[in-house]
Amino acid sequence: MAIPEKDWASIAIAYEPVWAIGTGKTASPEQAQDVHAKIRDWIKANVSPDVAKAVRIQYGGSMKGANAEGLLAKPDIDGGLIGGASLKTEFITGIAAACPKP
């Protein structure tokens, strides 16, 4: 059953490389961008160009202050799915500070 186009506004997609799960390892910004772009291209081809442009695709593989700026600078990475890093001071001084300002 396909998701109606109007419902995509309430959907966020998170991507984490399988090799990063539980390891603390992070994809390079270029690796993450490549996969996010492919996800967006799939949505464009299989759902619609408008949904592909609007859908939020977040990176979930050990984003931390040291790598947040590089990841968040990529055009197809719309944010981070932050786990344990959100409990550390570095979250505010690193990740939150690296987020694009509205």
Side-chain angles (χ1 to χ4, degrees):
M1 179 172 167
I3 298 169
E5 218 172 293
K6 66 179 180 58
D7 291 344
W8 279 89
S10 61
I11 293 174
I13 297 169
Y15 163 72
E16 179 173 4
V18 69
W19 51 261
I21 298 170
T23 67
K25 295 179 181 178
T26 306
S28 72
E30 294 73 22
Q31 289 170 320
Q33 167 58 28
D34 182 55
V35 174
H36 280 71
K38 287 177 180 164
I39 293 168
R40 200 171 301 280
D41 287 345
W42 186 91
I43 294 168
K44 183 178 181 179
N46 291 280
V47 181
S48 83
D50 289 338
V51 168
K53 184 177 178 181
V55 71
R56 292 159 296 177
I57 306 173
Q58 301 176 333
Y59 181 75
S62 297
M63 185 182 289
K64 43 191 164 280
N67 58 30
E69 187 172 4
L71 289 162
L72 295 172
K74 296 300 182 185
D76 289 301
I77 299 176
D78 299 318
L81 183 63
I82 313 301
S86 67
L87 303 174
K88 299 178 181 174
T89 304
E90 180 192 41
F91 175 72
I92 299 299
T93 61
I95 298 171
C99 289
K101 308 301 181 256

